[in-house]
PDB file of all heavy atoms in Angstrom:
ATOM      1  N   ARG A 158      51.292  42.979 -14.793  1.00  0.00           N
ATOM      2  CA  ARG A 158      52.142  41.869 -14.432  1.00  0.00           C
ATOM      3  C   ARG A 158      52.454  41.876 -12.940  1.00  0.00           C
ATOM      4  O   ARG A 158      52.426  40.888 -12.315  1.00  0.00           O
ATOM      5  CB  ARG A 158      53.433  41.916 -15.307  1.00  0.00           C
ATOM      6  CG  ARG A 158      54.345  40.816 -14.845  1.00  0.00           C
ATOM      7  CD  ARG A 158      55.612  40.831 -15.766  1.00  0.00           C
ATOM      8  NE  ARG A 158      55.354  40.364 -17.076  1.00  0.00           N
ATOM      9  CZ  ARG A 158      56.234  40.206 -17.994  1.00  0.00           C
ATOM     10  NH1 ARG A 158      57.519  40.476 -17.761  1.00  0.00           N
ATOM     11  NH2 ARG A 158      55.922  39.764 -19.223  1.00  0.00           N
ATOM     12  N   ASP A 255      40.329  41.886  22.195  1.00  0.00           N
ATOM     13  CA  ASP A 255      40.885  42.470  23.381  1.00  0.00           C
ATOM     14  C   ASP A 255      39.907  43.163  24.196  1.00  0.00           C
ATOM     15  O   ASP A 255      39.835  43.108  25.407  1.00  0.00           O
ATOM     16  CB  ASP A 255      41.942  43.637  22.882  1.00  0.00           C
ATOM     17  CG  ASP A 255      43.059  42.925  22.052  1.00  0.00           C
ATOM     18  OD1 ASP A 255      43.739  42.003  22.523  1.00  0.00           O
ATOM     19  OD2 ASP A 255      43.235  43.410  20.930  1.00  0.00           O
ATOM     20  N   LEU A 287      25.607  35.832  28.874  1.00  0.00           N
ATOM     21  CA  LEU A 287      26.676  34.937  29.255  1.00  0.00           C
ATOM     22  C   LEU A 287      26.181  33.620  29.859  1.00  0.00           C
ATOM     23  O   LEU A 287      26.727  32.537  29.642  1.00  0.00           O
ATOM     24  CB  LEU A 287      27.686  35.642  30.196  1.00  0.00           C
ATOM     25  CG  LEU A 287      28.615  36.662  29.541  1.00  0.00           C
ATOM     26  CD1 LEU A 287      29.499  37.349  30.609  1.00  0.00           C
ATOM     27  CD2 LEU A 287      29.671  35.860  28.608  1.00  0.00           C
ATOM     28  N   VAL A 303      17.685  31.167  30.964  1.00  0.00           N
ATOM     29  CA  VAL A 303      17.231  31.926  29.732  1.00  0.00           C
ATOM     30  C   VAL A 303      17.033  33.439  30.049  1.00  0.00           C
ATOM     31  O   VAL A 303      16.831  33.770  31.268  1.00  0.00           O
ATOM     32  CB  VAL A 303      15.966  31.327  29.123  1.00  0.00           C
ATOM     33  CG1 VAL A 303      16.140  29.919  28.702  1.00  0.00           C
ATOM     34  CG2 VAL A 303      14.809  31.433  30.140  1.00  0.00           C
ATOM     35  N   VAL A 335      16.588  56.945  30.081  1.00  0.00           N
ATOM     36  CA  VAL A 335      17.662  56.237  29.433  1.00  0.00           C
ATOM     37  C   VAL A 335      18.928  56.311  30.294  1.00  0.00           C
ATOM     38  O   VAL A 335      19.329  57.363  30.576  1.00  0.00           O
ATOM     39  CB  VAL A 335      17.953  56.815  28.002  1.00  0.00           C
ATOM     40  CG1 VAL A 335      19.056  56.086  27.301  1.00  0.00           C
ATOM     41  CG2 VAL A 335      16.714  56.847  27.225  1.00  0.00           C
TER      42      VAL A 335
END
Side-chain angles (χ1 to χ4, degrees):
Chain A
R158 175 177 292 184
D255 302 304
L287 284 173
V303 299
V335 179

